[in-house]
C-alpha cells in the first residue's frame, strides 16, 4: 500500500534524474547532451576524479554539490554510495530536476548512478543515463587494442580472486582496481604488494611468469599524456601502483581453430550452395 500510494503521489511531481558521464579528459570528453543536462538542472551533484576537474565543472555550475567529502578512511565505500543515492533522491522527491555528474562513464564501476536510477524509476520519476567516454575507451585508443580482433575479458581484480572465474589467455585480459585487490572490507583505498602477489599466483595458472603486463593510466588533464608501463608478470607486486591504474595482459597463446565447428559450418555452406544450384 505504501509503495503504490508513493508512486501515485509522485506521478504529479516534476522531479527527474539524469546521470551523465563527464568523460576522462577534462573538458574535451563532455558531450553536448551531458552539458545540456548540467546547465538545465535545478541541482547538480558531482563525483569526479580530482579537485581540478571539479573546479572546471564549477565554471558551468558554481552551485555544484561535491560528493567527494562523503569518503572517509576506514568507512565502507558502499555506505558512502548509499548516502549519495539518498542525497540525490531527496532532491528528486522534492520535485527538482537533478543531474548527477560522474567521472568517466556513469554506468561503469559506479554503483550509485545505477541504484539512483533504479529507485527513481520505481517511484515513478523520469530517470535516465547519458554515457560518457570511459577509461576502457581511452585504453583501447592509447594501447592500440581492438577488442573485436582477439577478444577481451574484463574483471575487477578482487573478483578474480573471490570467485572461480575462467580466463581465456588467447585474448586480452583487463584487470581493474588492482591497487585494491583482495580488499573484502571496502574500507581501504589501497592494498600492498602481498595482496598483489596473491593475484600474480592466480594469474600464473594461465600465464608464464615472464609474460608482459601493461600498467595503464589514462590522461585526465589536456596537458597530460597517458602513463604506460610494461613489466613482467612476476614483477607486478614490486612496482608502485595507484588505484587509478589498470593492468592489461596481452594474449599468451594464439587462437585455436575449432575443427568440429568448422566442419559443421562447411557442411551448411555446401548445403546452401547445392540448394542454389537446384534453384538455377
Amino acid at each position: 500500500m505504501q509503495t503504490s500510494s508513493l508512486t501515485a503521489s509522485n506521478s504529479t511531481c516534476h522531479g527527474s534524474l539524469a546521470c551523465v558521464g563527464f568523460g576522462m579528459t577534462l573538458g574535451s570528453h563532455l558531450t553536448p547532451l551531458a552539458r545540456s543536462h548540467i546547465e538545465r538542472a535545478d541541482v547538480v551533484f558531482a563525483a569526479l576524479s580530482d579537485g581540478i576537474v571539479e573546479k572546471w565543472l564549477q565554471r558551468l555550475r558554481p552551485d555544484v554539490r561535491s560528493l567527494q567529502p562523503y569518503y572517509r578512511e576506514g568507512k565502507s565505500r558502499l555506505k558512502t554510495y548509499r548516502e549519495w543515492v539518498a542525497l540525490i533522491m531527496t532532491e528528486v522527491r522534492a520535485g527538482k530536476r537533478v543531474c548527477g555528474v560522474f567521472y568517466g562513464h556513469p554506468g561503469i564501476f559506479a554503483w550509485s548512478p545505477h541504484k539512483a536510477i533504479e529507485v527513481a524509476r520505481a517511484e515513478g520519476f523520469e530517470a535516465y543515463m547519458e554515457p560518457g567516454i570511459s577509461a576502457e575507451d581511452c585504453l583501447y585508443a592509447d594501447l592500440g587494442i581492438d577488442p573485436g580482433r582477439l577478444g577481451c575479458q574484463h574483471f575487477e581484480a578482487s573478483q578474480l580472486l573471490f570467485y572461480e572465474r575462467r580466463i581465456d589467455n588467447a585474448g586480452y585480459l583487463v584487470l581493474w582496481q588492482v591497487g585494491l585487490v583482495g580488499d573484502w572490507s571496502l574500507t581501504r583505498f589501497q592494498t600492498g604488494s602481498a595482496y598483489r602477489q596473491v593475484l600474480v599466483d592466480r594469474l600464473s595458472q594461465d600465464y608464464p611468469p615472464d609474460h608482459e603486463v601493461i600498467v595503464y593510466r589514462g590522461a585526465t588533464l589536456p596537458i597530460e599524456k597517458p602513463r604506460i608501463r610494461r613489466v613482467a608478470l612476476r614483477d607486478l607486486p614490486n612496482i608502485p601502483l595507484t588505484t587509478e591504474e589498470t593492468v592489461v595482459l596481452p594474449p599468451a597463446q594464439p587462437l585455436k581453430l575449432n575443427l568440429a565447428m568448422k566442419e559443421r559450418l562447411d557442411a551448411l555452406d555446401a548445403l546452401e550452395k547445392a540448394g542454389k544450384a537446384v534453384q538455377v
Side-chain angles (χ1 to χ4, degrees):
M1 291 296 294
Q2 290 179 346
T3 303
S4 60
S5 62
L6 180 62
T7 302
S9 65
N10 285 341
S11 64
T12 59
C13 294
H14 299 291
S16 65
L17 172 62
C19 292
V20 307
F22 194 77
M24 297 298 297
T25 304
L26 176 61
S28 60
H29 287 175
L30 186 64
T31 67
L33 186 54
R35 184 177 185 129
S36 175
H37 283 304
I38 294 168
E39 293 174 339
R40 293 187 298 111
D42 299 314
V43 180
V44 177
F45 291 98
L48 300 174
S49 56
D50 56 54
I52 296 175
V53 177
E54 198 168 283
K55 286 181 179 179
W56 189 94
L57 177 61
Q58 288 172 347
R59 293 168 54 191
L60 293 180
R61 289 297 300 260
D63 57 345
V64 64
R65 304 181 189 180
S66 176
L67 294 170
Q68 293 294 339
Y70 291 86
Y71 283 118
R72 292 284 190 280
E73 188 73 38
K75 175 184 176 182
S76 170
R77 289 188 295 281
L78 186 56
K79 182 178 181 181
T80 297
Y81 300 151
R82 285 174 174 155
E83 289 174 345
W84 290 3
V85 173
L87 288 165
I88 289 169
M89 287 307 304
T90 295
E91 299 297 339
V92 173
R93 291 170 184 139
K96 304 287 184 63
R97 180 185 293 164
V98 180
C99 180
V101 187
F102 295 87
Y103 175 52
H105 189 299
I108 299 178
F109 283 93
W111 184 87
S112 300
H114 284 293
K115 188 63 178 179
I117 289 173
E118 176 189 335
V119 172
R121 288 175 176 171
E123 295 183 11
F125 296 104
E126 185 179 67
Y128 38 88
M129 181 177 288
E130 177 62 24
I133 294 176
S134 68
E136 178 185 350
D137 301 316
C138 296
L139 182 150
Y140 292 144
D142 293 334
L143 299 185
I145 294 174
D146 179 356
R149 191 170 73 87
L150 296 173
C152 191
Q153 286 183 301
H154 293 257
F155 292 108
E156 196 276 334
S158 291
Q159 188 184 103
L160 194 61
L161 300 183
F162 296 163
Y163 303 95
E164 295 182 2
R165 306 300 303 265
R166 293 184 179 181
I167 293 175
D168 177 8
N169 65 2
Y172 288 91
L173 177 66
V174 181
L175 299 177
W176 301 92
Q177 298 184 331
V178 173
L180 283 169
V181 68
D183 177 32
W184 282 98
S185 68
L186 298 179
T187 62
R188 287 179 281 185
F189 292 94
Q190 194 168 24
T191 53
S193 60
Y195 289 84
R196 272 182 271 147
Q197 184 59 57
V198 177
L199 176 64
V200 168
D201 292 344
R202 168 61 185 90
L203 294 171
S204 295
Q205 298 173 17
D206 297 282
Y207 299 89
D210 60 348
H211 189 73
E212 180 183 79
V213 169
I214 305 170
V215 181
Y216 167 81
R217 186 184 188 280
T220 58
L221 299 176
I223 59 173
E224 292 180 339
K225 291 185 178 180
R227 184 180 183 186
I228 301 170
R229 294 180 287 163
R230 300 176 190 270
V231 299
L233 176 60
R234 66 164 72 89
D235 296 328
L236 187 61
N238 305 317
I239 64 171
L241 198 70
T242 67
T243 55
E244 294 83 10
E245 289 179 299
T246 302
V247 171
V248 181
L249 281 76
Q253 64 175 343
L255 294 172
K256 295 179 181 179
L257 192 65
N258 188 326
L259 296 176
M261 287 295 171
K262 186 177 186 304
E263 288 179 3
R264 287 186 63 183
L265 294 171
D266 287 344
L268 287 174
D269 288 343
L271 286 172
E272 186 176 308
K273 289 179 181 178
K276 288 181 179 179
V278 171
Q279 290 176 5
V280 172

